[in-house]
Amino acid sequence: MADRISVLIPESVVDAKVKEIGEQISKDYAGKQVHLICILKGGAFFACELAKRITVPVSIDFMQVSSYGDGTSSSGIVRIKKDLDDTLENKEVLIVEDIIDSGRTLHYLMPVLMQRNPASLRLCALLNKPDRREVEVEIDYLGFDIPDEFVIGYGLDYAQQYRNLPFIGVIRPDTSGGGIVSEEKEKGETD
Ligand code: IMP
Ligand code: MG
């Protein structure tokens, strides 16, 4: 059965927000180089789009941390599956993550990275689910607060699917034939 997907945050709104965050980061890091740490796999789409909007020098490294299985609820266990290639010593480090949910992943990761002696360590997240928070996490740059719904797209997956959707969507129980339903179409408008 195909999943029925509705749009929570349209592509144009996400893109405008990424541009805005990129501009803010460029101001805040003026005269410096920012070292982005992309949290795989979900953060990859956001990190690439964000990097394109930053005008100060950028370097990028990748890390994979697992806190979820293929389902939609937290296992509570955080594990480094792929570590960074480069040192963080004296770098202006900015972690780029897709979503902060329970907060467990970043609550675990930030102190681990802090021990590697960066000049600074900040967190940038595209999405935040404040209602789901279990542990404290300070987000320095945030795209959107969203309600407690499981979202997909822009890097976010459901069982490794839908990361490539250019918008933030929600899977709805299938009542029709499935497929992607845009907000406009739901309101009865045409493309
Ligand atoms: P946390 O440790 O609970 O904050 O979870 C963070 C990770 O859980 C994110 O990096 C995502 O990979 C995953 N996650 C949390 N909520 C969602 C969601 O709504 N859709 C897809 N992945 C999610
Ligand atoms: Mg993730």
Side-chain angles (χ1 to χ4, degrees), residues 95-108:
I95 301 172
V96 183
E97 174 64 306
D98 50 6
I99 187 166
I100 311 297
D101 185 37
S102 72
R104 283 183 178 165
T105 307
L106 270 298
H107 184 82
Y108 164 82

Side-chain angles (χ1 to χ4, degrees), residues 71-117:
T72 60
S73 63
S74 173
S75 66
I77 298 162
V78 178
R79 186 168 67 90
I80 295 180
K81 290 170 85 175
K82 183 213 173 294
D83 207 341
L84 299 168
D85 288 336
D86 303 319
T87 166
L88 299 184
E89 198 82 31
N90 297 323
K91 290 178 184 160
E92 309 288 347
V93 176
L94 181 59
I95 301 172
V96 183
E97 174 64 306
D98 50 6
I99 187 166
I100 311 297
D101 185 37
S102 72
R104 283 183 178 165
T105 307
L106 270 298
H107 184 82
Y108 164 82
L109 201 56
M110 303 256 326
V112 168
L113 298 183
M114 206 56 208
Q115 283 182 350
R116 301 184 187 186
N117 296 320

Side-chain angles (χ1 to χ4, degrees), residues 12 57 158 162:
S12 59
Y158 173 65
Y162 305 119

Side-chain angles (χ1 to χ4, degrees), residues 78-182:
V78 178
R79 186 168 67 90
I80 295 180
K81 290 170 85 175
K82 183 213 173 294
D83 207 341
L84 299 168
D85 288 336
D86 303 319
T87 166
L88 299 184
E89 198 82 31
N90 297 323
K91 290 178 184 160
E92 309 288 347
V93 176
L94 181 59
I95 301 172
V96 183
E97 174 64 306
D98 50 6
I99 187 166
I100 311 297
D101 185 37
S102 72
R104 283 183 178 165
T105 307
L106 270 298
H107 184 82
Y108 164 82
L109 201 56
M110 303 256 326
V112 168
L113 298 183
M114 206 56 208
Q115 283 182 350
R116 301 184 187 186
N117 296 320
S120 66
L121 181 66
R122 286 182 180 167
L123 172 61
C124 176
L126 180 61
L127 304 172
N128 181 39
K129 285 187 199 167
D131 298 344
R132 296 262 304 175
R133 194 70 88 258
E134 291 170 20
V135 289
E136 194 62 36
V137 174
E138 196 186 323
I139 306 172
D140 299 285
Y141 301 96
L142 174 65
F144 307 92
D145 277 324
I146 59 165
D148 181 8
E149 285 194 274
F150 195 82
V151 291
I152 49 164
Y154 224 92
L156 291 142
D157 75 302
Y158 173 65
Q160 299 303 327
Q161 282 195 80
Y162 305 119
R163 292 191 195 276
N164 58 315
L165 295 179
F167 56 86
I168 305 295
V170 179
I171 302 175
R172 305 285 184 201
D174 190 17
T175 48
S176 58
I180 295 171
V181 181
S182 75

